[in-house]
């Protein structure tokens, strides 16, 4: 938000593009399995700042002195950029873009951290699941990660990623329903 405020204040609203990719894979890891894109796109479509959010942000020391027109910008905020990505469940290799975002610079900045978090987590789980399914050599693999997940939201996201990785089911009833 502080970077988006700086861009806004300095009228740096030209289109910017960023790509999410992995520079190097760990040893003995030949691929990553892309996951988390549906959740990422859902976030971009719904991203909004409520009056309560704006009031909180106005009170942050880091945003003191930011002109009111930045908060007006946030009140009207809608993601207007473009996203290009490989399909979920696609294996990718080091250096290959998972997704590419092109948007006005403040929008791209506001989206970046969320997209990194969601796609990194789901890709990690999907990749681990794919490796387990490969190691199972034809035997069924089922996701039982709910009890160790970082909350119900993460558990549903992880179960979805595990399914993309080849798991045939989940112990998470809500994830199964979805």
């Amino acid at each position: 938000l502080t970077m988006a405020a700086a861009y806004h204040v300095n009228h740096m609203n030209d289109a910017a593009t960023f790509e999410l990719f992995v520079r190097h894979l760990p040893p003995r890891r030949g691929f990553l399995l892309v996951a988390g894109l549906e959740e990422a796109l859902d976030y971009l479509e719904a991203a909004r700042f409520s009056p309560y959010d704006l009031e909180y942000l106005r009170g942050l020391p880091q945003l003191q002195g930011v002109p009111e027109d930045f908060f007006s910008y946030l009140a009207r905020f809608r993601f207007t950029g473009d996203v290009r990505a490989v399909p979920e469940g696609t294996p990718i290799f080091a250096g290959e873009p998972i997704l590419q975002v092109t948007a006005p610079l403040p929008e791209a900045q506001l989206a970046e951290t969320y997209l990194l978090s969601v796609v990194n987590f789901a890709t990690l789980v999907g990749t681990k699941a794919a490796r387990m399914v490969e190691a199972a050599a034809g035997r069924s693999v089922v996701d039982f990660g709910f009890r160790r997940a970082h909350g119900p939201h993460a558990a549903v996201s992880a179960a979805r990623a595990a399914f993309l990785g080849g798991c045939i089911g989940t112990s998470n009833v809500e994830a199964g329903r979805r």
Side-chain angles (χ1 to χ4, degrees):
L1 282 162
T2 56
M3 291 175 69
Y7 296 146
H8 181 79
V9 166
N10 290 293
H11 308 288
M12 297 172 68
N13 296 312
D14 289 340
T17 299
F18 77 83
E19 292 180 338
L20 190 153
F21 66 96
V22 175
R23 293 187 202 306
H24 306 284
L25 293 174
R28 297 184 311 274
R29 302 292 193 271
F31 67 93
L32 295 174
L33 190 88
V34 174
L37 299 175
E38 181 176 295
E39 184 178 346
L41 294 174
D42 287 348
Y43 167 77
L44 292 175
E45 289 176 356
R48 306 287 186 271
F49 292 88
S50 72
Y52 177 79
D53 297 332
L54 297 172
E55 194 58 36
Y56 172 76
L57 295 173
R58 283 185 182 96
L60 291 176
Q62 305 90 314
L63 296 177
Q64 295 300 306
V66 172
E68 182 58 33
D69 72 323
F70 176 65
F71 298 103
S72 298
Y73 164 76
L74 293 179
R76 299 183 311 274
F77 181 82
R78 301 294 183 269
F79 183 79
T80 63
D82 294 314
V83 178
R84 298 176 54 190
V86 298
E88 284 196 294
T90 301
I92 59 131
F93 308 97
E96 289 186 303
I98 295 172
L99 66 79
Q100 180 185 72
V101 173
T102 301
L105 187 53
E107 288 182 35
Q109 185 64 59
L110 288 170
E112 181 186 34
T113 299
Y114 188 91
L115 297 179
L116 284 169
S117 173
V118 166
V119 174
N120 283 342
F121 173 70
T123 296
L124 168 90
V125 174
T127 301
K128 293 285 187 183
R131 291 174 53 78
M132 288 188 292
V133 167
E134 184 179 345
R139 294 172 298 208
S140 298
V141 177
V142 178
D143 159 56
F144 276 86
F146 195 178
R147 293 182 180 148
R148 301 288 186 258
H150 295 187
H153 177 81
V156 171
S157 177
R160 183 178 188 282
F163 178 76
L164 288 170
C167 288
I168 63 159
T170 180
S171 65
N172 184 329
V173 174
E174 177 59 16
R177 181 186 69 81
R178 291 186 190 185

